[in-house]
């Protein structure tokens, strides 16, 4: 109330005439006794007449007034009149004008276009219970619950700034500079933009504010200052009447050319729509700018209205912008709400406000301001309206915001503005009209795209959005100044003051960027101990450094505060233990096979030899083992040679491994055995490994031993736990590869590598350099430069033998029993085949009867004598038969067959003679 009373004092000192305008042009006088169904209702309208918005809004207001009064279905028997006041672009005068027309017992106020005036008037209408329908006050803070009677009949800048944030995120920019007027509307809008960008992991790097009515020189100084900064993405949120002058100054300063991005809020589209056709010089000034415009559907109703105003003889503007359309709908909103209010028995009456009457003897006439007694009921009707206007569906949500906020995304190019897409809070960015999207399920991920854009400088290449600032400040890069593994990164007496593997990679990546990067390396640490890498990372996060270049491991807690590039080398924790060489002995050749394997191999050599002899001795006249003749012998020999080949190859490989193997000097075989033991563990001083072992693996801090230099690592492992050293070292693989190569594999890793990660370069959050350098690192990997730099600094020597003792290299029977089984089966089958054949031959060899021949005469013997002959056959005869040559056996069998034939011939002759 203190603010309101101060305004009343000023009002009593000023006499400002109020223009009361009705359809007939008559002046309206105050009436204290208003009937329940009045003949006239008054609505106050205030805005700046001589402005881009005012010149477009004024004809729309009067067109709406005519349409309401000519419509017999609305406010039947009642004439609506407006009281129009000009705020003259002044918050002070506008506020006083608003207070004065409140004396005329208006049931609603339309306007203002200024959020600054709306903030003050909202307190007044709250006291007088008069709804304030604003088509132009877009400050998001006006949606607060304290402004009960403030009803925004357009969309809040909250939604527009979310649309701007989506556009910025769509093109991948991470930092922007906001240029705005330092008033309620400007501050509220930019605050909303900052909140929306934060959700996209983007930020406003600098807020360039200027006061209302700032001079050309002040704005020039402001533009010069931001031109020296890093970001080249500018969001311009100003008043329509001053915006073009900023572009004119930026043009003179060379800030609208190639590489720059300008995003104008809806003020620019309001100007361009209000001055159609636009001046070619103006459009040339705006070449490549992206602008937003409140979306209104292209309905026949809207087209007829715009055509009607353009053909009007009394028109004051050549174009109609969105503010005019929302002002037209605001008049209709008030008329429809009044009609519903009166139709339900509402009474328009005004009474004295007790708070204003209690003036404590003041001579000021506060009683001239009267309160709308049915204001709460009328406000309820306003908020419950639901109809279709020029701007689309007029309906409010629970937060008193118009539903379905939508914006056109425009690109100024070729002397005109081209729509490249839409934005809605329903589906985000899209090239599909909101009216179509609303009938489909929301799907922001699939519709998030825009048409091509022509940028400043008439290029279609998306600007990078930033450059290195021209204020003489190079990139401040922190480099660890430690004492261990100096080949990785260390101090140098030559420019640029640092050297090492990491520095070479960083410099190679920087040289691949399409722009220069001024940089300054700053050593961090005293050079006597290794600095804490977490501390350096936090220094970057707090803005004390721009980047951290070195052997920085990408771990979770660091990624929360900084951005990392693509890893330039792989890394992971490994366990390293000492090993010793095993001296060879005169009997080393026996070690590849176990005793069982030697016995079985020897037995098979003898067995296969015996089988070959058995199969060959009857056929091979000169058999000495050099050549085989029989088919069965060849089959057995072929399988045995295959077995011997496999055994020989395995023996050679195992013997080679045994002669070169190293043996562990501790019982640590990996991380699990290390955890279960109680022996000391060495870690590099200043690294994250100590915290990882204690916090993640629950290893006691008393077991952790900090080691500073490479020599400390070597000494600690050589001494071992008994000599005051360590049993093993847990450290990142790249360090350990360097250590093992320098000590000729005196130490080696055991177990598997775990906690896979990598080394990268750290930058402040959302730094565009992190993205560009990641691309450059990938290029280095593809063209082989990463490997060449690695080979330049580090000697490649593999120390990855994993055998823990000789037993793992010895070959047992379990590895070859299949081969021996095959060979044994082949020998068995060959012998069975051989003896079956011999048995059949032997049966033919034994005489069927006891008979003989003397001088060619057949001698017959009795049966008893024949049995005696068979019983005399002995095992010795069988062995003798087997021992005979195959050719000899065949000859004997052939002779026997001939003798039997002669014997049968003699028998037939003898029987014939006796007969």
């Amino acid at each position: 109330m203190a603010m309101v009373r101060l305004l009343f004092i000023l009002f009593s000192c000023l006499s400002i005439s109020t223009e009361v305008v009705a359809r007939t042009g008559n002046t309206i006088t105050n009436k204290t006794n208003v009937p329940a169904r009045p003949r006239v209702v008054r609505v106050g309208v205030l805005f700046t007449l001589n402005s881009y918005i005012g010149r477009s809004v004024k004809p729309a207001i009067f067109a709406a007034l005519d349409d309401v009064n000519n419509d017999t279905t609305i406010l039947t028997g009642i004439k609506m009149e407006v009281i129009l006041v000009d705020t003259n672009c002044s918050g002070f005068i506008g506020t006083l004008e608003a207070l004065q027309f409140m004396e005329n017992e208006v049931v609603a106020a339309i306007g203002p276009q200024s959020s600054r005036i709306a903030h003050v008037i909202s307190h007044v209408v709250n006291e007088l219970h008069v709804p304030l329908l604003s088509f132009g006050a877009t400050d998001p803070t006006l949606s607060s619950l304290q402004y009960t009677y403030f009803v925004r009949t357009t969309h809040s800048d909250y939604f527009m700034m979310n649309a701007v944030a989506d556009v910025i995120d769509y093109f991948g920019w991470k930092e922007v500079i906001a240029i705005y007027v330092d008033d309620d509307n400007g501050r509220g809008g930019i605050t909303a933009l900052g909140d929306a960008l934060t959700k996209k992991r983007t930020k406003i790097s600098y807020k360039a504010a200027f006061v209302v009515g700032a001079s050309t020189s002040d704005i020039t100084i402001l533009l010069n200052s931001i031109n020296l900064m890093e970001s080249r993405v500018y969001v311009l949120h100003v008043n329509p009447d001053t915006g073009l002058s900023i572009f004119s100054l930026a043009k003179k300063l060379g800030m609208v050319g190639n590489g720059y991005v300008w995003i104008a809020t809806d003020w620019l589209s309001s100007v361009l729509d209000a001055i159609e056709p636009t001046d070619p010089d103006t459009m040339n000034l705006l070449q490549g700018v992206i602008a937003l415009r409140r979306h209104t559907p292209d309905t026949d109703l809207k087209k007829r209205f715009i055509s009607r105003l353009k053909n009007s003889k009394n028109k004051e503007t050549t174009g109609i912008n969105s503010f005019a359309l929302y002002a037209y709908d605001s008049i209709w909103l008030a008329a429809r709400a009044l009609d519903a209010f009166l139709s339900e028995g509402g009474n328009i009456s005004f009474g004295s406000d007790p708070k204003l009457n209690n003036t404590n003897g003041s001579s000021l006439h506060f009683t001239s301001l009267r309160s709308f007694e049915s204001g709460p009921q009328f406000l309820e009707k306003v908020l419950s309206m639901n109809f279709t206007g020029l701007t689309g569906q007029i309906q409010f949500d629970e937060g008193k915001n118009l539903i379905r906020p939508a914006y056109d995304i425009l690109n100024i190019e070729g002397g005109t503005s081209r729509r490249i897409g839409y934005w809605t809070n329903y589906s985000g960015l899209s090239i599909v009209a909101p009216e179509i999207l609303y009938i489909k399920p929301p799907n922001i991920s699939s519709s998030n795209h825009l048409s091509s854009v022509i940028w400043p400088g008439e290029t279609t290449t998306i600007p990078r959005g930033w450059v290195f600032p021209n204020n003489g400040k190079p990139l401040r890069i922190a480099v660890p100044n430690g004492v261990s593994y100096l080949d990785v990164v260390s101090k140098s007496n030559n420019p640029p003051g640092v050297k090492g593997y990491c520095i070479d990679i960083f410099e190679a990546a920087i040289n691949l960027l399409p722009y220069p990067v001024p940089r300054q390396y700053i050593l961090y640490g005293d050079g006597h101990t290794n600095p804490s890498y977490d501390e350096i990372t936090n220094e970057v996060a707090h803005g004390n450094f721009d980047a951290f270049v070195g052997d920085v491991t990408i771990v979770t807690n660091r990624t929360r505060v900084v951005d990392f590039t693509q890893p330039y080398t792989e890394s992971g924790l490994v366990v390293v233990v000492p090993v010793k060489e095993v001296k060879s002995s005169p009997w080393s050749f026996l070690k590849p096979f176990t005793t069982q394997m030697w016995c079985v191999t020897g037995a098979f050599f003898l067995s296969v030899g015996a089988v070959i002899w058995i199969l060959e001795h009857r056929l091979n006249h000169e058999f000495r083992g050099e050549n085989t003749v029989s088919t069965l012998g060849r089959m057995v020999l072929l399988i045995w040679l295959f077995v011997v080949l496999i055994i020989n190859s395995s023996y050679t490989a195992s013997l080679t491994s045994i002669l070169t193997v190293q043996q562990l000097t501790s019982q640590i075989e990996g991380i699990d055995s290390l955890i279960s033991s109680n022996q000391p563990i060495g870690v590099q001083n200043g690294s994250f490994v100590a915290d990882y072992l204690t916090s993640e693996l629950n290893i006691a801090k008393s077991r952790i031993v900090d080691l500073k230099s490479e020599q400390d690592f070597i000494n600690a492992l050589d001494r071992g736990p008994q000599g005051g050293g360590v049993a093993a070292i847990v450290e990142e693989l790249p360090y350990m590869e360097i250590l093992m190569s320098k000590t000729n594999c005196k130490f080696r890793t055991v177990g598997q590598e775990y906690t896979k990660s990598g080394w990268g370069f750290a930058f402040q959050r959302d730094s565009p350099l992190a993205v560009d350098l990641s691309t450059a690192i990938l290029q280095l990997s593809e063209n082989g430069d990463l490997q060449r730099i690695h080979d330049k600094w580090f000697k490649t020597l593999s120390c990855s033998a994993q055998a823990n003792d000789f037993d793992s290299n010895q070959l047992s029977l379990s590895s070859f029993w299949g081969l021996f089984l095959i060979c044994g089966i082949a020998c068995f089958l060959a012998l069975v085949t051989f003896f079956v054949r011999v048995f059949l031959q032997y049966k033919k060899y034994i005489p069927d009867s006891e008979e003989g021949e003397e001088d060619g005469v057949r001698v017959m013997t009795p049966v008893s004598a024949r049995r005696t002959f068979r019983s005399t056959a002995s095992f010795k005869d069988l062995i003798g038969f087997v021992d005979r040559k195959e050719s000899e056996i065949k000859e004997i069998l052939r002779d026997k067959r001939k003798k039997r034939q002669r014997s049968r011939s003699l028998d037939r002759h003898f029987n014939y003679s006796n007969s």
Side-chain angles (χ1 to χ4, degrees):
M1 286 303 298
M3 181 182 294
V4 175
R5 290 181 177 178
L6 175 60
L7 293 172
F8 289 162
I9 294 173
L10 296 172
F11 167 64
S12 64
C13 299
L14 294 174
S15 177
I16 303 176
S17 60
T18 303
E19 179 186 3
V20 182
V21 183
R23 182 170 176 268
T24 60
N26 297 327
T27 301
I28 304 299
T29 59
N30 293 340
K31 297 181 180 181
T32 57
N33 298 321
V34 180
R37 189 76 180 180
R39 291 183 301 163
V40 177
V41 291
R42 301 180 184 88
V43 175
V45 179
L46 69 161
F47 54 87
T48 301
L49 296 177
N50 187 24
S51 65
Y52 284 111
I53 293 178
R55 287 190 292 270
S56 186
V57 164
K58 183 178 178 180
I61 291 288
F62 285 109
L65 183 64
D66 286 341
D67 291 344
V68 168
N69 288 330
N70 290 332
D71 192 332
T72 57
T73 63
I74 297 294
L75 295 176
T76 305
I78 301 175
K79 180 170 64 175
M80 175 180 282
E81 296 179 348
V82 298
I83 302 175
L84 180 65
V85 296
D86 185 4
T87 60
N88 292 316
C89 292
S90 170
F92 177 74
I93 295 177
T95 303
L96 294 181
E97 291 278 9
L99 289 173
Q100 188 168 355
F101 79 62
M102 286 294 181
E103 290 183 328
N104 295 284
E105 297 181 350
V106 296
V107 296
I110 308 296
Q113 71 192 60
S114 168
S115 297
R116 180 175 38 163
I117 300 175
H119 271 279
V120 178
I121 296 180
S122 293
H123 291 282
V124 178
V125 297
N126 276 4
E127 189 67 30
L128 301 180
H129 299 168
V130 176
L132 176 63
L133 313 182
S134 178
F135 58 83
T138 56
D139 178 12
T141 61
L142 282 168
S143 297
S144 173
L145 293 177
Q146 63 178 316
Y147 303 117
T148 306
Y149 283 83
F150 175 80
V151 180
R152 198 192 325 267
T153 57
T154 184
H155 296 296
S156 168
D157 281 349
Y158 168 83
F159 300 106
M160 180 172 65
M161 293 308 177
N162 275 270
V164 173
D166 278 355
V167 171
I168 292 170
D169 181 64
Y170 175 80
F171 290 109
W173 302 311
K174 293 301 180 181
E175 292 186 2
V176 302
I177 292 178
I179 306 172
Y180 62 100
V181 180
D182 192 12
D183 59 8
D184 292 328
N185 185 66
R187 288 189 297 270
I190 296 306
T191 299
L193 175 62
D195 293 341
L197 290 176
T198 300
K199 299 176 184 177
K200 308 290 184 182
R201 289 195 61 184
T202 307
K203 65 180 180 180
I204 299 176
S205 60
Y206 184 73
K207 295 180 179 180
F210 59 91
V211 299
V212 178
S215 64
T216 300
S217 60
D218 290 339
I219 296 177
T220 301
I221 293 172
L222 180 67
L223 292 177
N224 269 321
S225 65
I226 65 175
N227 197 31
L228 297 175
M229 299 178 184
E230 180 178 294
S231 178
R232 283 292 184 265
V233 181
Y234 305 134
V235 177
L236 189 58
H237 184 53
V238 296
N239 299 323
D241 299 282
T242 59
L244 291 180
S245 62
I246 295 177
F247 275 115
S248 179
L249 294 175
K251 178 80 170 179
K252 294 178 182 178
L253 297 175
M255 297 177 63
V256 292
N258 194 12
Y260 288 87
V261 177
W262 287 87
I263 302 176
T265 53
D266 64 338
W267 69 267
L268 180 56
S269 60
S270 300
V271 172
L272 298 180
D273 291 341
I275 60 175
E276 291 183 351
T278 54
D279 180 43
D281 293 336
T282 300
M283 299 306 293
N284 183 57
L285 190 69
L286 304 172
Q287 174 66 43
V289 174
I290 292 180
L292 276 75
R293 178 174 60 198
R294 283 175 169 76
H295 175 75
T296 54
D298 292 328
T299 59
D300 293 337
L301 180 64
K302 171 185 168 182
K303 293 177 182 178
R304 288 195 301 268
F305 173 76
I306 293 176
S307 177
R308 168 187 164 191
L309 288 192
K310 287 185 176 180
N311 295 330
S312 174
K313 295 181 179 179
N314 297 323
K315 63 180 180 179
E316 299 181 14
T317 181
T318 58
I320 302 297
N321 56 31
S322 61
F323 286 97
L325 303 179
Y326 282 104
Y328 179 91
D329 284 346
S330 299
I331 294 291
W332 271 99
L333 174 62
R336 290 179 181 273
L338 275 171
D339 184 67
F341 171 72
L342 294 174
S343 298
E344 294 182 4
N347 182 33
I348 298 178
S349 61
F350 294 85
S352 299
D353 189 339
K355 296 179 181 179
L356 298 180
N357 290 333
N358 186 16
T359 60
N360 295 325
S362 173
S363 59
L364 299 176
H365 301 288
F366 293 126
T367 55
S368 61
L369 293 174
R370 300 170 64 82
S371 175
F372 185 15
E373 294 179 342
S374 301
Q377 292 77 20
F378 178 53
L379 175 64
E380 184 178 346
K381 287 299 177 185
V382 170
L383 296 176
S384 65
M385 286 294 100
N386 184 0
F387 67 95
T388 301
L390 297 180
T391 59
Q393 187 175 0
I394 307 300
Q395 184 180 357
F396 297 94
D397 59 19
E398 294 179 355
K400 298 196 303 184
N401 294 309
L402 278 180
I403 64 172
R404 296 182 175 179
Y407 292 86
D408 297 336
I409 313 298
L410 309 177
N411 180 213
I412 314 299
E413 55 99 2
T416 185
S417 60
R418 177 175 58 92
R419 184 164 53 201
I420 60 174
Y422 306 89
W423 180 92
T424 67
N425 68 335
Y426 183 74
S427 295
L429 297 174
S430 175
I431 58 174
V432 181
E435 294 76 31
I436 299 176
L437 290 175
Y438 285 133
I439 62 178
K440 298 179 179 180
N443 192 349
I444 293 178
S445 60
S446 64
S447 62
N448 188 28
H449 59 280
L450 299 171
S451 300
S452 60
V453 178
I454 304 297
W455 302 101
E458 299 185 359
T459 177
T460 57
T461 302
I462 299 175
R464 191 170 66 245
W466 66 279
V467 295
F468 278 93
N470 297 324
N471 53 12
K473 294 182 180 179
L475 200 69
R476 301 178 74 251
I477 303 173
V479 177
N481 185 21
V483 294
S484 60
Y485 302 103
L486 301 181
D487 288 340
V488 176
V489 60
S490 62
K491 179 181 178 181
S492 173
N493 295 325
N494 299 321
V498 289
K499 64 179 180 179
Y501 167 64
C502 301
I503 302 300
D504 281 4
I505 290 180
F506 183 75
E507 288 290 329
I510 285 290
N511 292 333
L512 289 178
L513 300 181
Y515 48 85
V517 180
R519 52 199 177 277
Q520 176 187 6
Y521 294 103
I522 302 174
L523 293 171
Y524 191 98
D526 56 11
H528 302 294
T529 59
N530 294 322
S532 170
Y533 281 24
D534 287 338
E535 288 182 6
I536 306 179
T537 303
N538 290 330
E539 291 286 337
V540 174
H542 294 152
N544 297 325
F545 295 101
D546 298 309
F548 180 10
V549 171
D551 44 338
V552 193
T553 306
I554 304 174
V555 292
T556 304
N557 65 313
R558 294 172 183 171
T559 58
R560 294 191 181 105
V561 295
V562 296
D563 283 347
F564 280 94
T565 62
Q566 173 82 12
Y568 58 85
T569 187
E570 293 183 353
S571 177
L573 293 182
V574 293
V575 179
V576 174
V577 297
V579 294
K580 64 181 180 181
E581 294 286 348
V582 178
K583 297 181 179 179
S584 60
S585 70
W587 304 102
S588 296
F589 69 91
L590 296 175
K591 293 178 180 177
F593 289 164
T594 61
T595 302
Q596 183 187 36
M597 182 66 182
W598 279 118
C599 293
V600 171
T601 303
F604 261 81
F605 265 104
L606 297 175
S607 300
V608 172
V611 170
I612 296 296
W613 181 85
I614 293 173
L615 297 176
E616 288 291 318
H617 83 283
R618 298 183 71 207
L619 298 175
N620 198 335
H621 296 281
E622 299 178 356
F623 179 64
R624 296 291 185 272
E626 291 86 2
N627 189 25
T628 56
V629 175
S630 68
T631 302
L632 293 176
R634 289 178 178 178
M635 179 191 72
V636 172
L637 185 61
L638 180 64
I639 294 176
W640 175 242
L641 289 177
F642 175 74
V643 173
V644 171
L645 176 64
I646 298 299
I647 294 176
N648 178 67
S649 301
S650 301
Y651 175 85
T652 303
S654 180
L655 181 61
T656 303
S657 178
I658 288 175
L659 293 177
T660 59
V661 76
Q662 295 173 320
Q663 189 175 30
L664 300 180
T665 60
S666 71
Q667 299 301 316
I668 304 300
E669 299 179 355
I671 189 64
D672 293 331
S673 59
L674 183 63
I675 294 174
S676 60
S677 71
N678 293 318
Q679 296 178 328
I681 304 170
V683 299
Q684 185 178 183
N685 173 254
S687 74
F688 73 97
V689 179
D691 290 337
Y692 176 82
L693 294 178
T694 55
S695 61
E696 299 294 333
L697 301 183
N698 298 319
I699 294 177
K701 290 185 178 180
S702 58
R703 295 179 58 192
I704 306 300
V705 179
D706 280 344
L707 303 174
K708 296 181 180 179
S709 64
E710 295 173 57
Q711 191 59 45
D712 290 342
F713 280 71
I714 297 172
N715 294 338
L717 287 173
D718 285 340
R719 291 195 302 268
Q722 293 77 16
V726 297
I729 289 176
V730 177
E731 196 44 77
E732 294 181 81
L733 180 60
Y735 297 131
M736 296 299 95
E737 287 179 339
I738 297 172
L739 181 68
M740 291 185 293
S741 64
K742 286 186 176 182
T743 56
N744 294 319
C745 295
K746 187 178 181 180
F747 315 106
R748 71 170 178 83
T749 61
V750 292
Q752 298 296 320
E753 180 182 359
Y754 61 105
T755 67
K756 290 282 187 179
S757 59
W759 290 354
F761 305 126
F763 290 85
Q764 294 180 12
R765 293 298 295 269
D766 303 320
S767 172
L769 255 182
V771 178
D772 290 353
L773 275 179
S774 293
T775 303
I777 290 172
L778 290 176
Q779 292 177 350
L780 291 176
S781 177
E782 292 171 357
N783 60 27
D785 285 345
L786 274 184
Q787 187 61 44
R788 282 190 285 271
I789 295 174
H790 179 276
D791 296 342
K792 169 188 172 183
W793 286 96
F794 308 130
K795 180 174 65 174
T796 302
L797 183 62
S798 176
C799 303
S800 58
Q802 294 298 319
N804 292 337
D805 51 42
F806 300 127
D807 292 339
S808 61
N809 285 322
Q810 285 187 313
L811 302 175
S812 65
L813 180 62
S814 61
S815 302
F816 300 96
W817 69 267
L819 289 174
F820 286 124
L821 178 62
I822 294 174
C823 185
I825 292 175
C827 292
F828 175 76
L829 293 177
L831 288 175
V832 169
T833 303
F834 173 78
F835 282 113
V836 168
R837 182 180 177 189
V838 169
F839 177 73
L840 293 176
Q841 289 179 340
Y842 186 62
K843 285 184 64 177
K844 295 179 181 180
Y845 175 76
I846 297 175
D848 295 334
S849 59
E850 190 68 36
E851 54 186 25
E853 292 183 0
E854 295 179 4
D855 299 326
V857 179
R858 183 181 179 189
V859 178
M860 302 301 294
T861 59
V863 174
S864 59
R866 201 178 304 165
R867 291 188 183 132
T868 303
F869 173 78
R870 289 177 180 173
S871 62
T872 59
S874 65
F875 180 74
K876 183 177 180 181
D877 297 331
L878 175 62
I879 295 301
F881 175 79
V882 172
D883 189 50
R884 289 189 177 188
K885 298 298 181 183
E886 183 75 15
S887 58
E888 183 180 349
I889 294 298
K890 289 181 178 180
E891 184 65 26
I892 292 174
L893 293 177
R894 204 167 29 247
D895 292 342
K896 280 182 171 291
R897 191 164 48 250
K898 292 179 180 179
K899 289 179 180 180
R900 282 195 296 270
Q901 290 175 355
R902 288 196 299 268
S903 175
R904 283 193 294 269
S905 177
L906 290 174
D907 287 341
R908 287 194 298 270
H909 184 269
F910 178 77
N911 292 332
Y912 178 77
S913 299
N914 290 334
S915 62

